[in-house]
């Protein structure tokens, strides 16, 4: 068995990933109107959420639509569509066809989509797309049904160590942030990744259904996706992946992984927005400026608060740099965990 610290150090890089200079995921066309001002939007904006309705990507897409409309930031209509499946790669393969159309946008999360691309051996990836902005980070909750015998994470992990296959995990896509986190929690107790009994879902409602039906022992998803069932008393929170600046999350009394001495098992994913390839520098900047204006609005601040999201503003090519950096990190973790070759 490999040293557990190897896994921890690799995961810790994901948690603490900073921004570095370098190439963007998809560089805008060079020398094409870099000094021009482009009017935007001049028609309706379509935002693709490559996940299930009610999931994190869908919530972000609809939050953007709400903020842009409610604060009268643009005159054009914003529509949201869903294309779930395969860790976001089904939607990605459709979105990539919109080359040069600055009115098409797609929401995503760095770790989740990078994991989906790797695990599903997707023939398309994010390298050619135009980075718009990183917008949010959000804590995940590790939860069990209300009638579960587990009242804390320590007792669940103790049983995981003794009988790994008896603990049925559920969460988002195979190879995504939830899956990686479950595997790393297992590694904290010496359980090899191939012994983690994990059932992937499209997130959100599907994860809750697995838990409430008894098909899963423990689930991992964002607080936003689980809050309704947590507040209704249907789910118990054993731990949170993180707490911003040590602050408690309203209505949830649970320790963070850091408080439990498991900080390095937490995985940080930044939620953001991409545009198609083929945009000029000026077109990319016009989209970035519109999203920047949304981010500064009171309406978007309301969306952040309602969803327990932390602002993670990373504009333009800086977001591309982050995706490129995390791509190497995610692939490294997945290989270490035996999820990809």
């Amino acid at each position: 068995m490999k040293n557990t610290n190897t896994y921890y150090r690799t995961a810790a890089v994901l948690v603490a990933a900073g921004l570095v200079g370098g190439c963007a995921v998809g560089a805008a066309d060079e020398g094409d109107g870099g000094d021009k001002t482009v009017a935007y939007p001049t028609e309706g904006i379509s935002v693709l959420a490559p996940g299930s309705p009610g999931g994190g990507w869908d919530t972000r897409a609809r939050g953007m639509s709400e903020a842009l409309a409610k604060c009268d930031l643009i005159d054009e209509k914003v529509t949201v569509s869903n294309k779930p499946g395969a860790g976001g790669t089904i939607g990605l393969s459709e979105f990539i066809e919109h080359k040069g159309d600055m009115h098409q946008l797609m929401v995503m999360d760095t770790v989740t989509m990078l994991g989906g691309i790797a695990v599903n051996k997707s023939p398309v990836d994010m390298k050619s797309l135009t980075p718009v902005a990183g917008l949010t980070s959000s804590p995940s909750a590790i939860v069990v049904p209300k009638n579960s015998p587990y009242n804390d994470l320590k007792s669940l992990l103790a049983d995981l160590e003794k009988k790994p296959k008896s603990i049925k995990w559920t969460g988002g896509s195979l190879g995504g942030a939830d899956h990686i986190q479950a595997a790393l929690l297992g590694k904290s107790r010496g359980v090899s990744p191939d012994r983690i009994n994990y059932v992937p879902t499209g997130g959100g409602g599907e994860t809750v259904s697995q838990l409430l039906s008894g098909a899963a022992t423990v689930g991992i998803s964002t607080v936003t996706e689980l809050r309704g069932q947590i507040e209704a008393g249907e789910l118990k929170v054993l731990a949170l992946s993180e707490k911003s600046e040590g602050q408690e999350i309203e209505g949830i009394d649970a320790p963070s992984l850091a408080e439990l001495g498991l900080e390095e098992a937490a995985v940080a994913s930044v939620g953001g927005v991409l545009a198609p390839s083929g945009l000029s520098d000026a077109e990319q900047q016009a989209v970035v400026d519109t999203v920047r204006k949304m981010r500064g609005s009171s309406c978007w601040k309301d969306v952040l608060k309602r969803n327990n999201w932390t602002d993670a503003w990373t504009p333009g090519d800086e977001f591309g740099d982050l995706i490129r950096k995390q791509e190497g990190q995610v692939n490294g973790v997945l290989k270490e965990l035996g999820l990809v070759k």
Side-chain angles (χ1 to χ4, degrees):
M1 183 180 293
K2 296 181 180 179
N3 192 315
T4 302
N5 288 335
T6 301
Y7 298 90
Y8 282 169
R9 286 194 296 271
T10 313
V13 176
L14 288 176
V15 177
L19 301 180
V20 295
C23 298
V25 168
D29 295 343
E30 295 182 3
D32 183 11
D35 295 326
K36 297 177 182 178
T37 300
V38 174
Y40 182 81
T42 57
E43 59 184 77
I45 296 174
S46 296
V47 183
L48 174 65
S52 302
W57 290 342
D58 178 70
T59 303
R60 187 178 307 108
R62 296 184 191 282
M64 289 177 61
S65 175
E66 173 191 329
L68 288 167
K70 194 172 180 180
C71 275
D72 296 320
L73 300 176
I74 61 175
D75 295 328
E76 305 293 340
K77 185 177 180 181
V78 181
T79 58
V80 175
S81 61
N82 297 82
K83 197 75 174 181
T89 58
I90 292 177
L92 174 64
S93 64
E94 178 181 285
F95 184 75
I96 212 162
E97 299 297 322
H98 294 293
K99 183 176 180 179
D101 187 349
M102 63 193 297
H103 292 88
Q104 298 285 335
L105 302 177
M106 181 181 74
V107 297
M108 38 64 76
D109 277 275
T110 54
V111 173
T112 303
M113 182 158 278
L114 288 167
I117 290 169
V119 170
N120 290 286
K121 298 180 176 61
S122 173
V124 296
D125 56 31
M126 295 185 282
K127 289 186 177 69
S128 66
L129 299 180
T130 303
V132 176
L135 283 172
T136 65
S137 65
S138 56
S140 292
I142 300 166
V143 299
V144 293
K146 65 179 181 181
N147 295 324
S148 169
Y150 301 111
N151 293 310
D152 56 64
L153 186 60
K154 181 179 178 180
S155 61
L156 184 141
L157 293 181
D159 277 0
L160 178 69
E161 184 177 359
K162 297 173 187 174
K163 303 174 291 182
K165 291 295 184 180
S166 71
I167 305 297
K168 300 177 182 178
W169 298 79
T170 190
S173 59
L174 193 70
D178 300 337
H179 192 180
I180 291 173
Q181 185 162 285
L184 289 169
L185 286 169
K187 288 304 299 181
S188 75
R189 301 304 291 257
V191 178
S192 61
D194 62 356
R195 303 201 72 194
I196 294 294
N197 187 355
Y198 185 85
V199 179
T201 73
E206 292 180 49
T207 297
V208 171
S209 294
Q210 288 282 326
L211 289 165
L212 297 186
S213 69
T217 310
V218 54
I220 304 175
S221 192
T222 64
V223 171
T224 301
E225 293 174 299
L226 299 174
R227 180 173 282 284
Q229 286 69 34
I230 293 170
E231 291 180 343
E234 296 297 322
L235 296 175
K236 296 186 290 187
V237 183
L238 303 186
L240 297 168
S241 63
E242 60 181 317
K243 292 180 184 177
S244 300
E245 302 296 329
Q247 295 178 356
E248 299 296 324
I249 296 177
E250 184 178 352
I252 297 178
D253 181 18
S256 68
L257 291 180
E259 291 169 336
L260 295 173
L262 295 167
E263 181 177 10
E264 292 172 317
V267 180
S269 191
V270 176
V273 189
L274 299 174
S277 62
L279 303 191
S280 68
D281 289 343
E283 288 173 330
Q284 179 191 26
Q285 190 60 53
V287 181
V288 171
D289 288 344
T290 297
V291 175
R292 187 193 307 272
K293 184 165 61 173
M294 179 204 75
R295 179 247 182 177
S297 70
S298 60
C299 296
W300 180 248
K301 288 180 173 60
D302 289 342
V303 171
L304 290 178
K305 182 177 180 181
R306 182 171 71 242
N307 292 289
N308 299 114
W309 290 338
T310 299
D311 180 73
W313 180 247
T314 315
D317 289 344
E318 287 185 5
F319 189 45
D321 294 339
L322 176 61
I323 295 172
R324 183 175 294 276
K325 184 175 182 179
Q326 287 198 338
E327 179 180 30
Q329 296 162 348
V330 168
N331 289 341
V333 170
L334 294 177
K335 287 177 182 177
E336 289 282 349
L337 297 177
L339 300 177
V340 298
K341 293 181 180 179

